[in-house]
Amino acid sequence: MSALVPLLVALPLLGAAITLVFGRSPRLQVLVTVASLTAVAVIAAILLFVVDQGAPLAVSVGGWPVPFGIVLYVDRLAALLVLISSIVLVAVLLFSIGQGAADGADETPISIFNPSYLILAAGIFNAFIAGDLFNLYVGFEILLVASYVLITLGSTESRIRTGAVYIVVSLVSSIIFLAAIATIYGALGTVNMAQIAERMTELPQDTQLVLHLMLVAAFGIKAAIFPVSFWLPDSYPTAPAPVTAVFAGLLTKVGVYALIRTETQLFASNDINMLLLIIALATMTVGVLGAVAQAELKRILSFTLVSHVGYMIFGLAIATPAAIGATVYYIVHHIIVQTTLFLAVGLIERRAGSTSILRVKGLLKAAPLLAVLYFVPAINLGGLPPFSGFIGKFALFDAAAEVGTPIMIVLIFGGILTSLLTLYALMRAWNLAFWREEEDSTETDGRVSYLGNAPAADEQQERRRIPKIMTVATGGMVGVTLMLTVFAGPLYELCASIGESLLQPVNLIQLEEEASP
């Protein structure tokens, strides 16, 4: 089974090369892209089953011995996130196919979109299975280079402007990360994660703390934690709908994943959990208050994205097996639900010609199916029972209550308040956009007059037809969000086992040496 591991990265890269060669054949490009991502999903499912039944898999690429070669490492966490990511990537791809077929090459030019999309996927998968810090850095750079192209598709003024901000922030994060790698190599003589974990205890605590904070800063920018989350709400909403959806679902989670590896594997003996708890509370609070103050749907969702990253940092900072398991479950939940909401908002934009909740109205009668496609993931993200959002948050709060310290109680109340305000912001948007009648605007608008100074949406556009494949892709993702609830038991058991294994890791050095010839 170890031979399947490199295919997680090789298949998307090979698919990207083929789509570049056949740039004048859109149908072939789409076929290759769908086939590549579907194959990765199948391989990830097989690997998840294998590592869940036995030990993690480590592959030394090219046969080079540790630490000279690149090691790819797949455990339950990596396999699960690759599987979920590939499912999301396929769904968003189907959505983009419908958009491209309806609008032509203006929004998502196929000759550019497909190879960039596959390169983005390869970078995400590579980051999840990287066994050393430099390969993790390479994974980040691969996905960032592709994201630079995707976020500026269409070359409008707003996309170029926000894309420039995104590029600058990403470069700052990359520079900090690269400096941290160089410093770690200078201090320990290796960038292999297993060897770093083994040797880190040899360093003084002050030195460990400096290295620790450098990595947290680099990954924190990518994860959009407070106070380095300022860039996200302005960058994501301007991109095309499928690009925004996949960015919101996956890119910040790659940063969170790197933080999980950092806290549980590399710096287990250097505790900054109190700092992370403070950051988690600030991220939840600032993000959800930003969402409440917005009048544009994409910006509302972007701020809720920031606030819900705070839940993941909260679980990571609790640092118990139950909390880490709950964090992994919440990551899976958030990837799927947040992506689904952005796809639903993409449909709203086409149907109403705007994403401003001050302009859009009367959609419940005009598009009842669209109302359902938005409503279900919205109440899920808000944490209403019995959905996966409630399950994940309850598990986090339960893990915090078991610790029982005053700061944990504060975080529990902060998390509950964040959940309520998230529900308020999303249901206020549903009420105005769907429930409000066309002739009801004056009275209803007066209730939200405080949004008059909120950043405006793009200018009103012409209403456009919604191709069936876009509705099917969004409906399929809504179905997946419901499956998270239906199969919450088995999924949560898997996540709990991940939490146990991360805090009681296997002998990675021995595992990687066995992978070398």
Side-chain angles (χ1 to χ4, degrees):
M1 289 299 175
S2 297
L4 295 177
V5 174
L7 294 179
L8 298 176
V9 179
L11 285 177
L13 290 178
L14 179 61
I18 294 173
T19 55
L20 282 172
V21 171
F22 294 97
R24 296 185 179 180
S25 179
R27 290 186 178 180
L28 181 58
Q29 279 197 327
V30 168
L31 180 62
V32 170
T33 307
V34 171
S36 300
L37 295 175
T38 303
V40 170
V42 172
I43 293 172
I46 294 171
L47 292 176
L48 178 59
F49 176 79
V50 171
V51 298
D52 189 44
Q53 300 298 315
L57 299 174
V59 177
S60 184
V61 179
W64 290 88
V66 177
F68 304 106
I70 295 173
V71 174
L72 303 178
Y73 175 74
V74 176
D75 59 358
R76 293 186 184 95
L77 176 60
L80 176 62
L81 291 183
V82 171
L83 175 60
I84 296 300
S85 300
S86 57
I87 292 172
V88 167
L89 286 163
V90 170
V92 175
L93 177 64
L94 295 177
F95 185 96
S96 70
I97 291 170
Q99 179 171 300
D103 300 341
D106 293 335
E107 284 289 300
T108 53
I110 295 177
S111 60
I112 301 172
F113 178 82
N114 281 283
S116 300
Y117 196 74
L118 284 171
I119 292 172
L120 177 81
I124 292 171
F125 300 150
N126 186 70
F128 286 147
I129 65 174
D132 63 78
L133 284 179
F134 190 77
N135 193 31
L136 178 61
Y137 171 80
V138 171
F140 276 126
E141 292 308 298
I142 291 173
L143 70 89
L144 288 175
V145 168
S147 66
Y148 299 155
V149 177
L150 293 172
I151 203 170
T152 55
L153 282 178
S155 300
T156 63
E157 180 182 350
S158 60
R159 289 176 186 175
I160 296 297
R161 182 179 64 253
T162 57
V165 173
Y166 177 77
I167 290 171
V168 170
V169 171
S170 299
L171 287 176
V172 170
S173 173
S174 297
I175 290 170
I176 296 173
F177 188 14
L178 195 59
I181 292 173
T183 307
I184 289 172
Y185 185 79
L188 300 175
T190 184
V191 292
N192 181 277
M193 292 189 191
Q195 292 184 326
I196 291 172
E198 186 180 59
R199 301 177 187 181
M200 186 60 68
T201 54
E202 301 172 3
L203 298 177
Q205 283 293 320
D206 291 345
T207 305
Q208 290 187 45
L209 181 61
V210 171
L211 299 176
H212 196 170
L213 292 177
M214 289 179 72
L215 287 181
V216 168
F219 299 147
I221 294 174
K222 298 181 186 299
I225 64 174
F226 182 83
V228 287
S229 57
F230 62 90
W231 58 271
L232 191 149
D234 289 326
S235 298
Y236 284 8
T238 60
V243 174
T244 303
V246 79
F247 279 22
L250 294 178
L251 294 197
T252 53
K253 309 312 180 299
V254 178
V256 174
Y257 169 82
L259 285 171
I260 291 175
R261 292 295 187 193
T262 298
E263 297 305 310
T264 61
Q265 184 174 335
L266 303 186
F267 294 97
S269 61
N270 189 257
D271 186 347
I272 61 166
N273 291 336
M274 181 58 71
L275 174 62
L276 291 177
L277 287 170
I278 295 171
I279 290 174
L281 181 61
T283 303
M284 287 190 289
T285 304
V286 172
V288 78
L289 292 179
V292 170
Q294 302 306 309
E296 198 274 324
L297 278 168
K298 290 182 181 178
R299 291 183 63 85
I300 291 173
L301 293 183
S302 295
F303 275 102
T304 62
L305 169 59
V306 172
S307 69
H308 285 250
V309 168
Y311 285 104
M312 303 168 205
I313 305 303
F314 176 28
L316 183 59
I318 298 172
T320 63
I324 300 299
T327 301
V328 174
Y329 181 87
Y330 201 81
I331 290 173
V332 173
H333 147 82
H334 197 261
I335 287 174
I336 295 173
V337 173
Q338 193 79 43
T339 302
T340 306
L341 275 171
F342 270 101
L343 292 181
V345 169
L347 298 182
I348 293 172
E349 185 175 23
R350 295 185 68 86
R351 181 65 179 79
S354 175
T355 54
S356 171
I357 60 176
L358 301 180
R359 297 176 187 168
V360 180
K361 61 191 75 171
L363 285 183
L364 183 60
K365 287 185 177 180
L369 177 59
L370 182 53
V372 174
L373 294 180
Y374 174 86
F375 183 79
V376 172
I379 61 174
N380 194 340
L381 189 68
L384 286 186
F387 295 103
S388 57
F390 172 79
I391 296 171
K393 289 170 186 174
F394 180 83
L396 286 171
F397 298 157
D398 184 60
E402 287 185 4
V403 177
T405 59
I407 186 66
M408 293 297 176
I409 304 302
V410 171
L411 263 294
I412 291 174
F413 280 105
I416 293 172
L417 180 61
T418 298
S419 186
L420 293 174
L421 289 176
T422 298
L423 190 62
Y424 165 74
L426 296 177
M427 288 299 98
R428 178 193 62 187
W430 191 88
N431 181 54
L432 292 177
F434 291 94
W435 191 261
R436 177 176 54 167
E437 300 287 350
E438 291 282 352
E439 63 274 9
D440 224 13
S441 60
T442 304
E443 179 184 355
T444 309
D445 287 351
R447 300 173 188 173
V448 290
S449 58
Y450 61 91
L451 294 177
N453 295 324
D458 291 337
E459 294 183 3
Q460 184 82 19
Q461 302 174 3
E462 293 183 3
R463 297 181 179 184
R464 291 172 287 178
R465 179 181 63 88
I466 300 177
K468 288 184 179 180
I469 190 172
M470 297 177 72
T471 304
V472 170
T474 307
M477 286 296 292
V478 172
V480 175
T481 67
L482 296 177
M483 297 297 281
L484 292 179
T485 302
V486 174
F487 295 100
L491 177 59
Y492 194 81
E493 287 181 7
L494 174 62
C495 293
S497 66
I498 290 173
E500 292 282 352
S501 62
L502 286 175
L503 294 181
Q504 298 176 0
V506 297
N507 190 334
L508 298 180
I509 293 292
Q510 180 180 351
L511 185 67
E512 293 178 0
E513 287 177 349
E514 291 174 355
S516 304

